[in-house]
Amino acid sequence: AFLARIQAPLEQAVSLWVTDAEGVVRAGSQRWDPSVTIAGREFFRVHRDGEVGLHVSAAFTGRATQVLSFALSRRRSTPDGRF
């Protein structure tokens, strides 16, 4: 609900989500099938493989929305640097 409230006034945003280190969506602004991960998506792999700051992905078709999109993503690390 929190992410949906953040996303609601952002007309251009399709969805917001938070994943775990395996690419499983743990929270999102819309429903998500928990059996589907983003582990294979380029915008997830760049963060799993290292700290890159803010990342803008190549265009892709959203799995949940079927809408042509791009992702803005950022890695969140633990204090000791783990993903």
Side-chain angles (χ1 to χ4, degrees), residues 21 47-48 50-51 75-83:
H47 296 296
R48 181 196 59 211
E51 184 66 54
R75 176 186 171 122
R76 302 296 296 197
S77 299
T78 62
D80 65 358
R82 289 180 293 122
F83 181 47

Side-chain angles (χ1 to χ4, degrees), residues 54-81:
L54 184 64
H55 176 75
V56 180
S57 77
F60 63 91
T61 299
R63 290 182 179 153
T65 64
Q66 299 303 305
V67 172
L68 187 61
S69 304
F70 65 93
L72 296 174
S73 57
R74 184 168 58 170
R75 176 186 171 122
R76 302 296 296 197
S77 299
T78 62
D80 65 358

Side-chain angles (χ1 to χ4, degrees), residues 29-51:
S29 62
Q30 62 181 262
R31 290 193 176 276
W32 183 271
D33 179 347
S35 69
V36 177
T37 75
I38 63 163
R41 295 286 192 162
E42 160 266 338
F43 56 84
F44 177 82
R45 291 190 321 264
V46 298
H47 296 296
R48 181 196 59 211
D49 297 343
E51 184 66 54

